[in-house]
Amino acid sequence: MPVSLSPGQLEGIVAALRAAGCVFAEEEAELLASAANEPGELGELVAQRVAGSPIEQVVGWAEFCGLRIAVEPGVFVPRRRSEFLVRRAADIIPADAPPVVLDLCCGTGAIGLALADALSAAELHAADIDPVAVRCARRNVGERGRVHQGDLYEPLPPELHGRVDILVVNAPYVPTAEIALMPAEARLHEPRVALDGGPDGVEIHRRVASGAPDWLAPSACLLIETSERQAPLTVAAVSAAGLTPEVVTDEDWSAAVVIGRRRGGR
Ligand SMILES: C[S@@+](CC[C@H](N)C(=O)[O-])C[C@H]1O[C@@H](n2cnc3c(N)ncnc32)[C@H](O)[C@@H]1O
């Protein structure tokens, strides 16, 4: 049962959140109250938030593409910006047959799950190197698909070779030297393996792109989230893998995605 608060208690929590720098203090106070089962637990949740944990990790979920995604402490919080990647991927898939979807570097599994949800029928696979993320993704994906643990393609079942219709990837893409400049919420509460994209931020994009042709079906696509600044490097990685690259952007979300198509594909 959510904790019901008197106006005075609510004001006290809002003031504490505001003092800690929470911009949406009123909304967060309501969220925290609805996530707690008793007043002691509410106090603990408020303390975690005031100490800087992301609100999604504190209440245990994030909204993504209209879905409620479980977010465990220490797992990357899915960003609303990544909904653009899901929408672009859903637009590409033809409606004729249930596609095979692979979400690499899946974190909570939000992207793959939202795409499978948009397509209503899909064979969903997701993978991540971090066991904490894999546990969280398994919770979210449940019976909808399989979540594999390991380095990029290494844990995937061999029978997926050449069968993936759509490969969606939001891998780490922050250049190593820029991690220190990130907001504390990300820097201190999301694991480094979820953020660090290597010296120029696209080290993992290069590995994802070079491995993709072995797993993609003949007319399949790869979609990689990147930043506008790094997009040329992601494009070069996709092109070097023999795929035809295209950059698509969304100003409202400051989102950039590189699509890699098999030559002669859709
Ligand atoms: C930026 S987070 C994104 C998570 C998820 N795709 C999302 O958008 O919410 C990157 C994820 O990549 C995973 N990761 C980093 N290196 C990896 C690797 N070599 N193989 C598989 N997963 C990796 C991290 O554990 C983390 O969950």
Side-chain angles (χ1 to χ4, degrees), residues 75-79 82 103-111 127-130 133 150-152 169-173 191 193-195 204 207 225:
V75 179
F76 184 86
V77 177
R79 306 297 202 263
S82 302
D103 178 1
L104 266 196
C105 300
C106 67
T108 60
I111 290 176
D128 201 286
I129 201 167
D130 177 0
D151 183 19
L152 298 185
V169 185
N170 180 22
Y173 57 85
V193 69
L195 306 174
I204 298 185
R207 293 182 56 219
E225 179 174 314

Side-chain angles (χ1 to χ4, degrees), residues 88-93 165-167 209 212-213 216-224 235 238-248 257-266:
R88 295 311 303 233
D91 288 347
I92 288 170
I93 287 279
D165 293 302
I166 195 118
L167 169 50
L216 293 177
S219 60
C221 284
L222 156 70
L223 289 93
I224 304 181
V235 161
V238 165
S239 196
L243 303 171
T244 304
E246 179 194 3
V247 182
V248 290
V257 168
V258 174
I259 303 174
R261 292 180 169 82
R262 268 201 185 282
R263 303 221 158 115
R266 55 176 91 99

